Amino acid sequence: MLERTQVYVDTSYLLASFYNSWETGARAQLEIDLPEVVAVLDRMVTSQLHQPVHRQLWYDGIPDSGPHRYQRSLRAEPGVQLRAGHLIEWGDRRTQKAVDTRLVADMVTAALRGHVSDIALVSGDADMLPGVEEAVSAGVRVHLYGFGWDSVSANLRFACDTTTILDPREDFRDCMRLQILEGPLPPNVEPTPPGARHK
């Protein structure tokens, strides 16, 4: 069998995990650098599995109005494919359709056609279980990457060959920053009067 690794990313799970790692008040100002997340995942998986990543596939729902800014950045990233389902929006409520199904179908297809020897799955959703089980049955090694034990289905963990639990604030610290738009000066800093010269 060809020794080849592909990474499958449940985008909504990853983004929710990143946002939930911050206090509620900070989330609106959080900026996530997805191309850097792609690079960190690539280095991490390559190091742990001792073989390069062939491709990353990111799965997300795209609204009728078109892809969001971060989805466009993923489309432009070398070695990444954005695999799209639909995002249905009703006011503040959002529901994804055909996203998990597409991820599972792609995993099964890659496994049965012998395109991969290893799958790195970034998810915690039990809906991925049928795809994992079929891939394992086809002889593929499946490595699960999750964010916190409580965010990962136990049955999904048991079905995978390995499980790695990540901390967004630690493992991806260079991928996130807070955009402070306005606010008070830091303590012990006095504003410089107009026309004054810095010493």
Side-chain angles (χ1 to χ4, degrees), residues 76-189:
E77 193 64 20
V80 174
Q81 287 191 357
L82 177 62
R83 303 282 283 162
H86 298 288
L87 182 65
I88 312 298
E89 298 177 302
W90 299 289
D92 292 338
R93 294 184 60 197
R94 296 177 177 180
T95 302
Q96 291 193 128
K97 297 294 183 184
V99 176
D100 291 353
T101 306
R102 186 163 206 177
L103 195 161
V104 167
D106 284 354
M107 274 199 301
V108 171
T109 300
L112 293 179
R113 291 183 178 173
H115 292 170
V116 294
S117 59
D118 293 81
I119 287 174
L121 173 63
V122 181
S123 184
D125 194 339
D127 288 347
M128 306 298 162
L129 191 56
V132 169
E133 290 174 339
E134 288 298 323
V136 170
S137 294
V140 173
R141 297 178 292 263
V142 181
H143 311 275
L144 182 65
Y145 291 80
F147 296 99
W149 292 106
D150 59 344
S151 75
V152 177
S153 158
N155 288 334
L156 185 62
R157 282 193 290 113
F158 298 149
C160 292
D161 293 282
T162 66
T163 299
T164 301
I165 298 298
L166 304 171
D167 180 344
R169 297 281 294 275
E170 181 62 30
D171 297 305
F172 295 87
R173 59 184 171 275
D174 295 330
C175 304
M176 294 184 283
R177 64 183 180 277
L178 292 178
Q179 299 280 21
I180 307 299
L181 303 178
E182 51 184 63
L185 289 170
N188 303 322
V189 175

Side-chain angles (χ1 to χ4, degrees), residues 55-67:
R55 180 177 292 124
Q56 291 191 30
L57 300 106
W58 288 59
Y59 295 79
D60 204 9
I62 294 181
D64 291 337
S65 57

